[in-house]
Amino acid sequence: MARTTIEDVAKAAGVSTFTVSRALRGMDHVAPSTREKVLEAAKNLNYTVSKAASSLASGQTNRIALLSKDRIAGWFMGELMDGLYDVLNPARYDLLVYRAGNIQERSTFFTNLPANRNADALIMTGFPATEQEEQALASMGMPIILVNSPDTDCCQGSVAINDEESETTLVRYLAAIGHRKFCYIGRKEPLPGSQWGHDTRAVGYRNTIVDLNLTDCGMRYIDLADPLSVKQTVATILSLPERPTALCVWSDHYALAVIHELRSNGVRVPEDISVAGHDGSDVAASIKLTTMAQPAREIGRIAARKTLDLAAKKTLDEPRTIIQTVLTPGDTTRPIAHE
């Protein structure tokens, strides 16, 4: 069966193809009765507008590109994309997803710029751009929106949580219920140094430990892709001459792995060691984990609204939006008496 064309719709509605194009794209200067005829004809013929053709006519692709450092299957990215979809889909925008999860993927994206001329804006999440990458982004001539990135020099809009303040709140809470000996467990990055961004949660942890005169039993970093990483980290912590009573872990997902390994070693959580995560993910809810919750889906919605406004060449009322996290006490931490 032959595919329905715009000419078929025009013939059925008794109008020109130019009028069909304007009517189906919701443009002005089309009489309501004519638009109704065109829509009815298109519906009867199962005709949908070609985005490629519309792009040629309007200069807009009706696509938004998303570049992520984090694994696409992870909790945060899933929630973020749901939020983006909540806003972009009703506006008839598609989402293109790219990943920069390692050196090769990141280099390939910024060398080839696959989103160039293929999208109306780019949302970047999880890492700051280098000076060379900022030049590449500027050459694309499209709005750049950053999500949870400390660097806002190369973008026209951003939305983020304050990771440093969030971790500060968590440490202060644990100190308030009696904990004095702490350890921070972060995640290993695919590149050393600042090219993937500094761990500002670790900065908040370290500064608060000093401010409250607490004991830092060390900062450890794990890689969940390495089966031995969690085992070695937990074993090292348990062998310390001064064992911490509270562990602040980079994310809920990482906290779950740490709790499992602690219990495998006969350590009770929270009776022997309290463990707190970060994110407020479905993992936190399932095991009643103490965590700092961030509204990832709402972050996606806010980012999408900023993106559509910038793509429409509107001025943002609030270019930089900071979202507050919420302390959510659970069953993996407990008060401890002062020694």
Side-chain angles (χ1 to χ4, degrees):
M1 183 177 180
R3 179 180 296 177
T4 302
T5 66
I6 192 172
E7 287 80 8
D8 296 327
V9 178
K11 182 177 180 181
V15 298
S16 67
T17 55
F18 177 76
T19 299
V20 171
S21 177
R22 295 187 66 86
L24 293 181
R25 286 188 285 129
M27 299 182 69
D28 298 332
H29 307 301
V30 178
S33 58
T34 301
R35 190 185 306 277
E36 187 175 341
K37 282 197 303 182
V38 170
L39 293 175
E40 183 66 21
K43 179 181 178 182
N44 292 337
L45 294 171
N46 293 320
Y47 177 79
T48 55
V49 179
S50 165
K51 288 200 171 184
S54 297
S55 174
L56 291 174
S58 67
Q60 297 288 105
T61 67
N62 279 69
R63 289 188 290 261
I64 301 299
L66 172 66
L67 175 64
S68 169
K69 179 186 79 171
D70 294 311
R71 56 193 292 266
I72 295 171
W75 169 83
F76 179 80
M77 284 306 301
E79 289 291 304
L80 180 74
M81 286 194 285
D82 265 338
L84 294 172
Y85 189 86
D86 290 343
V87 175
L88 296 180
N89 184 60
R92 297 184 180 180
Y93 267 79
D94 292 332
L95 185 66
L96 301 176
V97 180
Y98 301 96
R99 188 181 64 189
N102 54 48
I103 299 173
Q104 181 178 351
E105 289 177 353
R106 182 168 173 174
S107 175
T108 298
F109 180 89
F110 284 101
T111 299
N112 299 332
L113 296 177
N116 197 22
R117 298 192 183 90
N118 206 27
D120 299 328
L122 172 67
I123 300 171
M124 242 170 63
T125 175
F127 64 92
T130 64
E131 184 176 346
Q132 185 176 3
E133 289 168 347
E134 286 185 4
Q135 294 174 357
L137 292 173
S139 72
M140 296 169 69
M142 66 171 63
I144 308 295
I145 299 86
L146 297 184
V147 172
N148 280 353
S149 173
D151 178 23
T152 57
D153 293 339
C154 66
C155 70
Q156 291 73 49
S158 67
V159 54
I161 64 170
N162 187 326
D163 280 299
E164 183 175 343
E165 182 180 281
S166 186
E167 199 68 27
T168 293
T169 299
L170 182 60
V171 174
R172 285 186 174 276
Y173 165 71
L174 292 170
I177 62 174
H179 291 277
R180 293 292 178 267
K181 300 173 184 177
F182 287 75
C183 185
Y184 178 82
I185 301 179
R187 69 169 180 176
K188 288 183 179 178
E189 297 290 358
L191 271 182
S194 61
Q195 291 189 41
W196 294 94
H198 292 291
D199 183 357
T200 48
R201 293 178 192 175
V203 174
Y205 165 85
R206 186 168 48 243
N207 290 344
T208 311
I209 292 291
V210 173
D211 290 344
L212 299 183
N213 196 28
L214 304 170
T215 299
D216 179 16
C217 298
M219 301 177 69
R220 306 283 189 270
Y221 293 87
I222 59 178
D223 179 6
L224 292 189
D226 179 1
L228 291 178
S229 184
V230 179
K231 287 183 176 294
Q232 291 169 340
T233 297
V234 170
T236 299
I237 291 172
L238 295 180
S239 65
L240 291 172
E242 191 170 28
R243 182 186 292 185
T245 63
L247 305 181
C248 296
V249 188
W250 183 82
S251 75
D252 298 339
H253 189 57
Y254 278 56
L256 177 62
V258 168
I259 290 172
H260 175 75
E261 186 59 28
L262 285 170
R263 289 174 174 165
S264 295
N265 282 273
V267 179
R268 298 172 301 166
V269 178
E271 291 83 359
D272 300 324
I273 295 181
S274 289
V275 179
H278 201 288
D279 284 339
S281 67
D282 47 2
V283 166
S286 65
I287 65 172
K288 297 182 180 179
L289 176 73
T290 295
T291 188
M292 296 298 298
Q294 62 169 319
R297 187 164 185 162
E298 181 58 23
I299 288 173
R301 294 187 186 115
I302 294 171
R305 287 192 286 266
K306 288 180 184 290
T307 303
L308 292 181
D309 284 346
L310 288 170
K313 305 188 185 308
K314 295 179 181 179
T315 301
L316 299 182
D317 294 332
E318 186 183 57
R320 318 290 182 219
T321 301
I322 300 296
I323 303 296
Q324 296 298 316
T325 56
V326 178
L327 173 62
T328 309
D331 293 345
T332 60
T333 56
R334 67 179 299 182
I336 184 171
H338 291 290
E339 297 177 357

